[in-house]
Amino acid sequence: MRNPFRYVLFKTIFQMSKILLPAQRKKALVTVVLILCNAFFDVFSLASILPFILLALDSSRIRSNQYLNFVYEALGFQSANAFLAAAILFILLLFVCKNAVGFLINRHQSRFTYAVATSLSERLFVEYYKKGYLFFSNTNSSLSARNITHIPVEFSTYILLATVTFLSDFIVFVLVIAGIAIYNFQIFALLLLIAGPPFFLLYRGKKNKLSEIGSRTKKLHPAATKHLFHGINGYVEVKLHHKESWFIKNFIDLQNELNQNLARFHAINLLPARLAEIIVVLSVAIIFVYTAFFSENPGELFVLLSLFTASAYRLMPSLNRISIALMNIKTFQYTMDILQELDGKPAARHFQDSGPPENIRFNEYIAFRNLSFSYSNAAPLILRNVSFTVKKGDTVGFIGKSGSGKTTLMNILLRFLTERSGQIVVDGRPLAPEDTAAWRKLIGYVKQNPFLLDGSVADNIAFGEDRVEMSLERLQLAIQQAGLAEFVSGLPDGIETQIGEHGAKLSGGQRQRLAIARALYRNSQILVFDEATSELDSQTEKEIANAIERLAGRDKTIFIIAHRITTLRNCDRIYELEDGEITGVYQYPDLLAKTLEPI
Ligand code: ADP
């Protein structure tokens, strides 16, 4: 029959070795070796108790044993009691050393395992960034967040640490049990018979339940977080619809199931300790019956019980930890399914593509040539043979019904999406995948709802720069060019003023102008404005149009997606998109004449 203990363990060690980096694999091995040394020390110090008991029972051995006699003479002992007192002090010292060394090894083990968790979080984050735009737009953010924060810690605690614990305790267990087998085979057989089957049966009985707890936790955690975020981020809508209880109930139902799962997991983890206690008492009873009925030497009972107590003292906690480790490994198998995609790749935090930045020269034009795009091989074409050319310094606008492909086109320009056919040519050179990083350095993107950090005005403009890196001069210039100077000077702490999560303390127009300032701070040559909906109020729309007007005169090349025609008044040309095709090119006055209604 296949041994399920070995199966889970071997599978885990195999998968784990694929997840860990080569250096971490080595460290894991060193940790196991250190623990093995500790185990030897452990068993040795434990084993030193038995000869002491024997000596205490019969002190004449001190003189009759040639080695003990040598020590007795050499250290100049005067009596057997003094020798015994020195021996017990020596054993005490041994135990103090053993525990001190054990603590240091455990500390090393914990530091190592949690350093692995940090490294896994980083590798997953890097990996997700590399998967690209579609991964982030198609994956629920609570799932990615759970994977990056929770999964590495669960893996480290319940798989890596548990496997190391399992191996070390198993080695101690084998050593102690082998020692007992050498000393007294009957006791060994008895212990194995009494202790083995209950633990085996406990694991067999609970393993399916544990797997189920694991897979439910895997599903429930992101689902509960999703409902929680809906409730928090949708505060205004939730309150307006008076739906607090509905949102809270949705979250609490899942959270309750998650916590009940946790309760089951912890309750099962308590079982081995209970079982161990019953086994100890059962064993004492059996030893008693064995010596009373089958042994001719009554003194043997005392020795056997001492031996048993000493080994149970070490074995039972070990057996308890072995069982818990095995159960944890079984429950948290799912963490490895998620981490498997890392496949031993180290986190490369340098995100620059390989192409040199001088490859990109933008002095003349950007040409879209026969560009077609679909979101997947099977999906219909969203853009079809789109061709147009924009000269440096031009301002061009895009109009078209919602869903006509305007944002998709801009995402291709930003290189978040890659064309299926056709190309974008810059100054005669087609953009290649390795140009992406250098190309993006030229572009600033201003969305209708730009992403804002929960930080200060300065943090948001000098996006991703630490205080020491920021240039005050460039900050002020960007603020002024984005038309924010008056607003910022009216703030209580100027550029240090906190703007709240998602810019909660700002108006729509201020948020967008902050994003414009961000693009100007990095001196972007190309600016992309995406007015995703027509829901801008007229004041905001006017502010944006003024900001664009100021920029248009500064040799910036500007792409504007607009829903209101008035936003496009500074455009040199306006392209109309319909079903992914360019169906018209207009000048602003023509467009005004064509329709006076907002599009
Ligand atoms: P617009 O900006 O003109 O409103 P979009 O470029 O946003 O249009 O969308 C064009 C089409 O592409 C729509 O039919 C939309 O459903 C589809 N689409 C947009 N994003 C995705 C995506 N991530 N996956 C699949 N289809 C998408």
Side-chain angles (χ1 to χ4, degrees):
M1 196 184 81
R2 194 186 62 201
N3 184 338
F5 280 74
R6 282 171 51 211
Y7 178 64
V8 167
L9 204 68
F10 283 152
K11 186 177 147 213
T12 302
I13 291 174
F14 175 70
Q15 283 190 307
M16 207 164 70
S17 70
K18 279 172 66 186
I19 292 169
L20 296 179
L21 298 172
Q24 291 170 337
R25 282 203 289 272
K26 260 184 232 149
K27 270 197 170 173
L29 269 180
V30 170
T31 309
V32 171
V33 170
L34 278 177
I35 291 169
L36 189 61
C37 296
N38 196 36
F40 277 117
F41 201 5
D42 217 19
V43 173
F44 175 69
S45 49
L46 190 67
S48 66
I49 294 177
L50 188 70
F52 176 80
I53 292 171
L54 293 177
L55 276 189
L57 281 177
D58 179 7
S59 56
S60 67
R61 288 189 199 201
I62 300 171
R63 306 296 280 173
S64 59
N65 181 301
Q66 69 174 104
Y67 301 110
L68 289 178
N69 193 37
F70 175 77
V71 176
Y72 187 90
E73 294 287 335
L75 297 179
F77 281 106
Q78 299 296 323
S79 71
N81 275 351
F83 185 89
L84 285 173
I88 192 90
L89 272 178
F90 175 73
I91 291 172
L92 178 70
L93 200 66
L94 208 61
F95 270 81
V96 170
C97 285
K98 175 193 90 118
N99 281 298
V101 171
F103 170 73
L104 292 178
I105 292 176
N106 288 150
R107 197 176 63 176
H108 162 86
Q109 175 185 336
S110 306
R111 283 182 178 171
F112 163 65
T113 40
Y114 290 105
V116 167
T118 312
S119 135
L120 286 171
S121 289
E122 182 183 2
R123 285 164 64 201
L124 266 186
F125 208 168
V126 169
E127 189 62 25
Y128 287 171
Y129 258 127
K130 291 200 168 145
K131 279 175 187 263
Y133 171 77
L134 283 181
F135 171 79
F136 277 95
S137 58
N138 294 343
T139 310
N140 186 292
S141 54
S142 34
L143 190 73
S144 321
R146 189 280 311 254
N147 287 358
I148 294 172
T149 54
H150 272 69
I151 296 296
V153 176
E154 284 181 347
F155 168 81
S156 287
T157 315
Y158 298 113
I159 298 285
L160 183 59
L161 198 57
T163 308
V164 169
T165 306
F166 181 94
L167 290 177
S168 59
D169 273 298
F170 191 70
I171 291 164
V172 175
F173 183 80
V174 170
L175 285 176
V176 175
I177 212 97
I180 296 171
I182 294 165
Y183 182 78
N184 186 323
F185 192 79
Q186 283 151 313
I187 281 277
F188 160 76
L190 203 68
L191 268 174
L192 216 59
L193 271 179
I194 307 168
F199 280 103
F200 179 74
L201 290 176
L202 175 70
Y203 175 73
R204 279 300 294 266
K206 293 293 173 196
K207 98 183 157 78
N208 290 341
K209 180 131 226 128
L210 291 165
S211 288
E212 189 197 309
I213 290 176
S215 57
R216 287 298 295 151
T217 307
K218 179 186 178 185
K219 283 201 196 90
L220 287 167
H221 196 283
T225 317
K226 186 176 91 176
H227 284 293
L228 177 65
F229 284 170
H230 282 171
I232 292 173
N233 295 334
Y235 171 81
V236 172
E237 286 81 355
V238 171
K239 278 305 241 188
L240 282 176
H241 288 79
H242 197 52
K243 285 287 181 194
E244 298 93 320
S245 337
W246 190 80
F247 278 88
I248 293 173
K249 183 181 174 302
N250 273 348
F251 164 68
I252 283 299
D253 283 354
L254 290 174
Q255 190 66 20
N256 178 39
E257 208 186 320
L258 200 61
N259 289 344
Q260 284 306 315
N261 241 0
L262 212 56
R264 273 196 288 273
F265 171 68
H266 284 292
I268 293 176
N269 269 358
L270 292 174
L271 281 177
R274 306 263 155 215
L275 197 63
E277 198 176 300
I278 295 172
I279 289 168
V280 171
V281 180
L282 183 68
S283 307
V284 170
I286 290 176
I287 292 170
F288 185 78
V289 171
Y290 163 77
T291 41
F293 290 97
F294 303 103
S295 170
E296 277 130 38
N297 178 5
E300 198 186 351
L301 176 65
F302 182 69
V303 177
L304 278 183
L305 277 179
S306 310
L307 172 68
F308 178 78
T309 315
S311 45
Y313 164 79
R314 187 61 187 82
L315 276 186
M316 288 308 158
S318 257
L319 218 53
N320 183 28
R321 281 194 297 267
I322 288 173
S323 317
I324 291 178
L326 205 62
M327 298 203 284
N328 289 349
I329 291 169
K330 185 78 194 163
T331 313
F332 289 89
Q333 286 291 301
Y334 73 87
T335 59
M336 288 195 290
D337 300 341
I338 293 165
L339 295 171
Q340 208 59 183
E341 63 176 308
L342 291 175
D343 230 2
K345 278 179 272 177
R349 253 199 265 177
H350 52 88
F351 281 93
Q352 278 83 6
D353 296 357
S354 48
E358 58 272 18
N359 269 354
I360 299 292
R361 287 237 161 81
F362 174 50
N363 295 317
E364 295 170 36
Y365 67 91
I366 305 168
F368 291 73
R369 299 216 172 124
N370 285 322
L371 211 87
S372 295
F373 176 81
S374 66
Y375 277 95
S376 68
N377 287 332
L381 283 179
I382 298 293
L383 294 175
R384 269 174 281 177
N385 291 321
V386 171
S387 294
F388 63 94
T389 301
V390 178
K391 286 207 298 281
K392 186 172 171 124
D394 272 2
T395 300
V396 291
F398 297 87
I399 53 169
K401 285 200 203 93
S402 173
S404 56
K406 305 180 294 293
T407 302
T408 306
L409 184 66
M410 289 308 115
N411 277 329
I412 294 177
L413 178 68
L414 293 159
R415 308 314 285 154
F416 287 128
L417 300 174
T418 314
E419 56 281 353
R420 298 259 156 192
S421 63
Q423 47 191 206
I424 296 180
V425 179
V426 181
D427 286 9
R429 190 177 171 279
L431 280 184
E434 62 271 18
D435 299 328
T436 301
W439 176 240
R440 286 199 186 128
K441 283 201 181 123
L442 299 179
I443 307 185
Y445 186 32
V446 182
K447 292 193 287 181
Q448 183 171 331
N449 268 319
F451 171 73
L452 294 179
L453 300 168
D454 183 3
S456 66
V457 170
D459 291 335
N460 273 286
I461 297 177
F463 191 77
E465 280 188 9
D466 289 325
R467 273 297 130 115
V468 285
E469 294 171 77
M470 288 181 195
S471 151
L472 202 60
E473 213 175 302
R474 270 164 58 214
L475 268 176
Q476 262 145 9
L477 192 66
I479 288 171
Q480 194 221 325
Q481 290 181 348
L484 276 173
E486 204 182 317
F487 163 70
V488 172
S489 64
L491 290 173
D493 298 318
I495 56 168
E496 298 301 336
T497 310
Q498 299 290 316
I499 60 161
E501 199 178 1
H502 306 302
K505 300 181 193 164
L506 304 179
S507 76
Q510 287 160 348
R511 262 178 248 162
Q512 269 194 319
R513 279 185 289 153
L514 212 51
I516 296 174
R518 185 186 285 168
L520 294 171
Y521 178 80
R522 62 197 290 249
N523 199 18
S524 305
Q525 298 303 304
I526 305 162
L527 293 166
V528 177
F529 288 85
D530 190 348
E531 188 190 293
T533 68
S534 55
E535 284 153 22
L536 282 185
D537 58 83
S538 53
Q539 173 59 27
T540 305
E541 192 268 336
K542 209 182 286 165
E543 286 176 25
I544 306 305
N546 289 341
I548 294 173
E549 194 167 334
R550 273 194 301 273
L551 297 170
R554 290 179 191 276
D555 207 24
K556 304 278 183 203
T557 308
I558 304 177
F559 294 78
I560 310 169
I561 297 178
H563 279 263
R564 291 190 185 216
I565 292 181
T566 42
T567 321
L568 299 169
R569 64 173 188 250
N570 300 300
C571 289
D572 297 298
R573 278 179 314 290
I574 296 148
Y575 296 98
E576 186 175 21
L577 255 95
E578 201 176 315
D579 272 346
E581 281 179 303
I582 293 187
T583 51
V585 187
Y586 305 95
Q587 299 291 315
Y588 180 66
D590 305 338
L591 201 63
L592 261 189
K594 190 175 173 242
T595 170
L596 289 170
E597 292 295 302
I599 295 167

